Amino acid sequence: MRATRVLVLNSGSSSVKYQLLDMADGSRPATGLIERIGERTSRLRHTPAGRPSREREEPVADHETALKAVAEELDRDGLGLDSPELAAIGHRVVHGGRRFTEPTVIDDAVLAEIERLVPVAPLHNPANLAGIRTAVALAPHLPQVAVFDTAFHTTMPEYAARYAIDTAVADAHRVRRYGFHGTSHAYVSRKAAELLGRKPSETNVIVLHLGNGASASAVARGRCVDTSMGLTPLEGLVMGTRSGDVDPAVVFHLTRVAGMSVDEIDVLLNKRSGLLGLCGDNDMREVLRRMEHGPDAEAARLAFDVYVHRLRKYIGAYHAVLGRVDVVAFTAGVGENAAPVREAAVTGLEGLGLAVDPERNAARGDGPRLISPPTARVAVAVIPTDEELEIATQTYALVTGRTTDET
Ligand code: AMP
């Protein structure tokens, strides 16, 4: 039997998401999620294709226990880690630094390098590592591949990746712009080119990944030339709970004037800012609902306006970076679902050739679709992201030497 399946694991700090994908027919035989790892009760939801989900609530102390539970659930459906159809496991790894520019087969040296990057990704890399180590112990016979969120951005020119700070300090502590969400930016920019019937290598794209975390990227002929997240995922756009760009002196000011500690400011900017900080809600659905009615419509409106203003500035900036733009692609939870955000983001940018067609923008749909008027100079599109498919595709290509089309 030919091994055509890839298990994709996304090990976060308190959750593990997984999908089993079959690269031969595009099916997903199982998907699932374990939440609240390390808390008193954790929840596992496992969904085998075409059958009802199974849920378990029990304490799951750590990633090792979590992955063992995932392996058990897969086993119950005959999809276990020793199944002959399983070709590899693909792991999402948030930070790959400058070294990992491509998906990489995991060995001890790779693990050591991911470990070395923990100081620049203290929230994410330890959880990713815990997931990888357990998966390697559970399935030592399978090739395992790390797919890095930063990899797609390693093509940024040095002048876009550097902060204008003392080079010696920056180099000693690896302070530079890395960018994140790269798997999504890679997938969406390619799909956006496909939607126009063009080759990625001949297409310039601005990707707006607007989820709970949010980032923009400028992609020139298939290669990332700038992105809005930096050393960490805090820089750039306004997000659900993150501030995005602020004057760095805000940190000094709050330390000196408000007596806040560095850790408190870290929490403030990462967890209590963005939409949440501006209006008390981090979910764009709530913000949009409150703008329409309710006693506190004003705070919701201001949060929306700050969010959209930042977005528009990045669209303008990336026009300047790219020179010529063929398509602006909206993706992730907000980008795929919130028509008012998409409309507001391009309003006033007619001079750059941007517009949305109200009917196309309002129409719901599952797949990639154009929302600009047919005569528009620059296409505007909604491209649903699929990071699991991208991780599986890259993993499969690396371990088998085959692309999905050849399977
Ligand atoms: P993601 O991180 O891509 O899963 O996106 C999650 C975010 O998408 C949520 O926090 C919501 O703010 C947003 N979202 C999801 N569905 C909608 C919707 N129908 N309208 C507006 N925002 C949405």
Side-chain angles (χ1 to χ4, degrees):
M1 186 184 297
R2 186 121 142 240
T4 55
R5 291 181 177 169
V6 177
L7 177 63
V8 174
L9 290 176
N10 181 353
S11 307
S13 55
S14 65
S15 69
V16 171
K17 292 184 203 147
Y18 60 96
Q19 287 199 8
L20 181 64
L21 294 93
D22 194 316
M23 307 316 288
D25 60 12
S27 67
R28 300 190 196 205
T31 63
L33 167 70
I34 301 191
E35 291 171 297
R36 303 200 296 259
I37 296 171
E39 293 182 28
R40 215 173 310 138
T41 55
S42 313
R43 190 176 45 209
L44 183 151
R45 194 176 63 242
H46 175 85
T47 311
R51 273 175 291 158
S53 300
R54 298 194 293 271
E55 290 210 8
R56 283 161 63 171
E57 289 219 6
E58 61 199 29
V60 176
D62 50 28
H63 286 79
E64 190 177 336
T65 319
L67 286 193
K68 282 183 179 156
V70 171
E72 260 172 49
E73 290 298 328
L74 289 167
D75 240 354
R76 282 178 65 183
D77 297 316
L79 303 168
L81 299 179
D82 50 7
S83 145
E85 288 156 291
L86 190 57
I89 299 180
H91 295 269
R92 175 185 182 214
V93 178
V94 168
H95 215 308
R98 299 182 73 178
R99 157 100 178 268
F100 295 113
T101 59
E102 299 280 344
T104 306
V105 174
I106 293 165
D107 58 18
D108 287 345
V110 171
L111 281 172
E113 183 63 19
I114 298 172
E115 179 99 58
R116 215 173 66 83
L117 289 162
V118 165
V120 282
L123 297 179
H124 296 105
N125 274 28
N128 302 157
L129 271 172
I132 294 173
R133 290 207 169 102
T134 307
V136 169
L138 288 175
H141 58 289
L142 283 175
Q144 308 216 15
V145 173
V147 178
F148 299 92
D149 256 26
T150 45
F152 184 61
H153 304 303
T154 54
T155 52
M156 276 196 287
E158 196 59 13
Y159 54 77
R162 281 267 170 194
Y163 292 110
I165 64 170
D166 186 303
T167 304
V169 175
D171 288 350
H173 302 287
R174 287 178 284 176
V175 176
R176 58 189 281 115
R177 310 190 58 255
Y178 295 98
F180 299 88
H181 290 146
T183 309
S184 176
H185 286 283
Y187 176 82
V188 169
S189 56
R190 217 175 50 237
K191 287 279 158 191
E194 275 173 25
L195 181 67
L196 302 189
R198 303 168 68 131
K199 291 187 184 144
S201 60
E202 294 167 356
T203 312
N204 286 356
V205 191
I206 296 175
V207 178
L208 303 168
H209 176 110
L210 310 178
N212 201 18
S215 62
S217 68
V219 182
R221 303 168 181 273
R223 291 162 69 84
C224 177
V225 293
D226 206 351
T227 194
S228 60
M229 286 178 166
L231 173 72
T232 75
L234 183 55
E235 192 180 338
L237 300 176
V238 176
M239 315 184 203
T241 66
R242 293 184 208 134
S243 60
D245 296 334
V246 291
D247 180 345
V250 166
V251 179
F252 322 140
H253 181 76
L254 291 176
T255 309
R256 293 177 188 136
V257 175
M260 292 175 75
S261 70
V262 168
D263 287 342
E264 283 169 340
I265 301 170
D266 191 333
V267 170
L268 174 80
L269 296 181
N270 275 295
K271 303 230 157 90
R272 290 172 43 211
S273 296
L275 294 175
L276 180 72
L278 286 164
C279 76
D281 266 309
N282 68 316
D283 191 319
M284 186 57 85
R285 281 167 289 207
E286 276 306 301
V287 177
L288 293 172
R289 194 187 56 74
R290 278 172 50 190
M291 276 163 57
E292 297 306 321
H293 14 241
D296 48 359
E298 219 169 291
R301 162 60 65 182
L302 180 63
F304 178 86
D305 287 347
V306 173
Y307 184 98
V308 165
H309 179 66
R310 184 81 50 85
L311 203 47
R312 232 186 266 131
K313 286 209 288 192
Y314 269 92
I315 296 172
Y318 287 173
H319 255 87
V321 166
L322 290 168
R324 187 204 80 222
V325 176
D326 299 300
V327 50
V328 174
F330 286 89
T331 194
V334 176
E336 291 169 30
N337 296 297
V341 171
R342 296 192 297 256
E343 186 189 337
V346 303
T347 299
L349 301 184
E350 294 80 7
L352 297 176
L354 285 169
V356 296
D357 177 282
E359 247 172 63
R360 287 178 164 190
N361 189 33
R364 299 222 141 251
D366 288 337
R369 56 197 186 275
L370 284 173
I371 57 169
S372 43
T375 53
R377 193 147 44 90
V378 177
V380 182
V382 176
I383 310 281
T385 194
D386 196 337
E387 289 168 274
E388 286 78 13
L389 175 60
E390 183 67 14
I391 292 172
T393 304
Q394 293 190 13
T395 298
Y396 189 70
L398 184 63
V399 302
T400 64
R402 285 194 299 266
T403 62
T404 315
D405 297 341
E406 294 164 324
T407 298

